[in-house]
Amino acid sequence: MEKGMHEKAAVVSLGCAKNLVDSEVLAAQVQRLGYEVTAEASQAALIVVNTCGFLESAVQEAVDHLLEMARYKEEGSCRHLVAVGCMVQRYGRKLVSLLPEVDLFLGTSHYHRFADLFQKFIQLGTPKIFLQRPGYFYHGGITRIPSTPAHWAYVKIAEGCRHRCSFCLIPALRGPSRSRTVEDVVTEVRHLAEAGVVEVNLIAQDTTAFGTDRGEPDALCRLLEALEDISGLHWVRLLYTSPFGVSDELLRTMAASSKVVPYLDIPFQHCVPRILEAMHRRGKSLRPVELIERIRNHLPDVALRTSLMVGFPGETEADFQELCRFVTDVRFNHMGVFAFSAEKGCRAARLADPVAEEIKQARRDMLMALQQRISRDNLRRLIGHRVPILVEGLHSETEFLAVGRLPTQAPEVDGCVLIVEGEAVAGDIMQAEILKTHDYDLEARLLPLRPGASEPSFENARAPFGGRGKI
């Protein structure tokens, strides 16, 4: 069933950055079928929605998107609508009758087999759903079509999760932890750098678990060391790091690197030992404050991102106040806050002493307001400093501003730098002077490089990046 290039297909990606990599694999699969990949679903004959199923709210978002896309079957050019991913893995065959608008359902094991399975469905009309136990994981031999800007990319280094947090469905949806080899990741990053990528963001359900399933506990450190030798690559960022896996060896490797940016994304979830234990997050052994002290001893100017959960069953007002003190003392650079959701199939959904919904939302709002003030104060320290900026391109809302990011700002989830003066090309790493700050964003002017000067590195400007508070 070879399609002419005049027929188009759209891939809609929902959820996290890890899902986005899988959506890029899906895009390559639909292109293999002969479709032209488009961002305009209204023009597509085939629409593929890569769903998230982590929370009920994400499931509802996926359903809403599918129903919205189904309109194009009636009013537009769409002939086939396909749902893929975590929501399908979570609800399985129930979806066939619940969403008759969808022609085909695929779970989380079929991203790289989409072309073959879609052709089989077209030829036979059945089955309408393909499900099996999670076993797929992305590797360098699987083709994907990048959807991120040409100068940066996500690189998925592992799939699945080894942890069994009581509030999380990821192990059921994605399976146990499965890592790529160091050599496979290095080969992919080298190819990306040759294509013009200057920043890679390493992702997994838990990047610090990389290699442990293969009996290689030092694999992440070896990977970071190997990436040092790749020409053209300037920034390497670690996302989704587990607090249980941040070792002294990892911190020493980061400190010695010229390319790993001073940034760690660590989802602490909470700070109260009793709550952490109920979450099955090693509450008796994990001491968040001690870990942060250890991180900052190795990386004095590290930027820390975290995610926290409020309203977990049994969380008292005293527990919440302790969490607020923790945030005030640590002064995270970036933070997300989520209200606990009792997801069916999770052990935490069966716990006694639930927190009322209005209290959960109030606590979330209070914690985010606190973080807003902290972020504003942290960023003010940068005014007048000269820092390196990765130029992203023109602002999405106006052609009169360009935007960029500091090494301590991850793409898509953190703030940005508004470039109000100077000229550069997207992908350039330029020196800039910070002129003004807002709650989460900054304003800067680009500085011209002196003749013969090398590109600025974050080593030249680490001191202002701290935002470090008392512990």
Side-chain angles (χ1 to χ4, degrees):
M1 187 196 68
E2 292 297 326
K3 295 290 179 184
M5 291 306 289
H6 63 281
E7 289 222 302
K8 298 180 179 181
V11 178
V12 179
S13 190
L14 305 178
C16 63
K18 300 178 288 293
N19 239 27
L20 183 62
V21 172
D22 296 328
S23 295
E24 293 173 345
V25 172
L26 287 169
Q29 288 283 301
V30 299
Q31 190 177 75
R32 178 186 151 199
L33 287 168
Y35 291 94
E36 176 187 350
V37 179
T38 178
E40 299 298 329
S42 60
Q43 302 174 8
L46 168 63
I47 301 176
V48 184
V49 179
N50 188 14
T51 64
C52 178
F54 179 50
L55 298 172
E56 284 289 351
S57 57
V59 170
Q60 186 58 56
E61 180 187 13
V63 171
D64 291 343
H65 268 84
L66 287 164
L67 295 177
E68 180 182 352
M69 295 300 105
R71 287 194 300 108
Y72 296 126
K73 294 178 71 174
E74 299 177 359
E75 306 169 4
S77 58
C78 179
R79 293 198 306 275
H80 295 104
L81 175 61
V82 183
V84 187
C86 289
M87 184 188 76
V88 180
Q89 194 71 29
R90 179 172 178 178
Y91 291 101
R93 301 188 183 280
K94 298 177 182 178
L95 296 174
V96 175
S97 58
L98 291 173
L99 289 169
E101 300 87 351
V102 177
D103 299 295
L104 179 64
F105 299 88
L106 283 77
T108 57
S109 292
H110 302 296
Y111 300 106
H112 61 313
R113 297 182 57 208
F114 177 85
D116 293 336
L117 297 178
F118 183 70
Q119 281 186 316
K120 181 178 180 179
F121 169 74
I122 293 299
Q123 291 166 359
L124 302 177
T126 58
K128 283 200 68 172
I129 184 164
F130 291 89
L131 275 177
Q132 65 184 52
R133 296 182 64 180
Y136 154 88
F137 75 102
Y138 172 80
H139 57 79
I142 295 178
T143 303
R144 61 171 169 148
I145 298 177
S147 59
T148 53
H151 53 275
W152 68 264
Y154 292 116
V155 175
K156 189 192 285 193
I157 62 175
E159 184 60 87
C161 189
R162 62 176 175 169
H163 304 296
R164 293 295 181 268
C165 300
S166 64
F167 56 83
C168 183
L169 287 169
I170 292 299
L173 302 180
R174 290 286 184 165
S177 182
R178 307 179 300 285
S179 302
R180 300 168 63 180
T181 65
V182 170
E183 294 74 20
D184 186 46
V185 178
V186 170
T187 298
E188 181 185 9
V189 174
R190 184 175 289 112
H191 290 159
L192 289 169
E194 290 170 353
V197 169
V198 299
E199 175 194 26
V200 294
N201 297 273
L202 304 181
I203 59 174
Q205 298 297 336
D206 172 8
T207 52
T208 60
F210 177 66
T212 56
D213 58 299
R214 304 170 61 91
E216 302 172 358
D218 64 337
L220 182 57
C221 293
R222 289 194 293 112
L223 172 60
L224 297 181
E225 291 167 349
L227 296 181
E228 287 287 306
D229 298 328
I230 296 181
S231 177
L233 178 66
H234 294 278
W235 290 2
V236 177
R237 188 184 313 277
L238 280 174
L239 297 174
Y240 307 107
T241 62
S242 166
F244 320 117
V246 180
S247 65
D248 286 338
E249 181 183 8
L250 174 61
L251 296 173
R252 285 192 292 267
T253 301
M254 292 181 65
S257 172
S258 64
K259 296 186 177 181
V260 179
V261 297
Y263 182 104
L264 273 173
D265 168 29
I266 309 177
F268 282 105
Q269 305 299 350
H270 217 282
C271 69
V272 176
R274 179 179 57 81
I275 300 295
L276 289 170
E277 188 171 0
M279 290 179 170
H280 285 211
R281 290 185 62 82
R282 306 184 192 181
K284 292 182 178 178
S285 60
L286 176 62
R287 296 290 183 268
V289 167
E290 294 175 4
L291 174 57
I292 292 169
E293 285 181 335
R294 185 157 53 85
I295 292 169
R296 285 173 169 164
N297 283 336
H298 286 278
L299 302 166
D301 305 302
V302 69
L304 293 175
R305 159 171 276 279
T306 196
S307 58
L308 299 174
M309 183 181 295
V310 295
F312 191 83
E315 183 189 58
T316 65
E317 181 61 28
D319 295 330
F320 175 67
Q321 292 303 321
E322 184 172 345
L323 186 61
C324 290
R325 286 192 294 273
F326 171 67
V327 170
T328 299
D329 291 344
V330 171
R331 299 183 67 81
F332 290 103
N333 300 78
H334 316 283
M335 188 175 81
V337 182
F338 304 89
F340 170 75
S341 177
E343 299 296 319
K344 187 176 180 180
C346 291
R347 286 168 291 185
R350 301 189 296 269
L351 293 177
D353 200 13
V355 178
E357 191 64 33
E358 60 270 21
I359 295 178
K360 287 191 290 186
Q361 295 304 324
R363 288 176 180 175
R364 179 194 178 278
D365 293 345
M366 290 172 63
L367 210 51
M368 284 306 301
L370 174 59
Q371 176 60 24
Q372 184 180 40
R373 295 193 296 271
I374 291 170
S375 174
R376 184 171 59 242
D377 291 343
N378 285 343
L379 293 180
R380 281 174 179 165
R381 304 178 186 186
L382 291 173
I383 294 177
H385 285 284
R386 296 187 172 192
V387 296
I389 289 177
L390 173 58
V391 179
E392 294 276 36
L394 290 177
H395 196 286
S396 61
E397 297 179 2
T398 173
E399 61 182 16
F400 299 108
L401 288 176
V403 293
R405 286 185 288 111
L406 302 175
T408 49
Q409 292 173 316
E412 302 185 315
V413 293
D414 297 334
C416 66
V417 180
L418 304 175
I419 300 171
V420 298
E421 182 181 336
E423 296 182 359
V425 176
D428 284 351
I429 297 177
M430 301 285 291
Q431 199 79 7
E433 180 184 3
I434 302 300
L435 304 175
K436 184 178 179 181
T437 62
H438 304 278
D439 290 340
Y440 300 107
D441 301 329
L442 309 95
E443 295 182 18
R445 67 181 182 94
L446 298 180
L447 303 173
L449 285 174
R450 300 185 305 276
S454 60
E455 276 187 335
S457 75
F458 58 82
E459 292 288 344
N460 299 331
R462 288 182 108 179
F465 287 143
R468 178 176 180 174
K470 64 180 180 178
I471 296 293

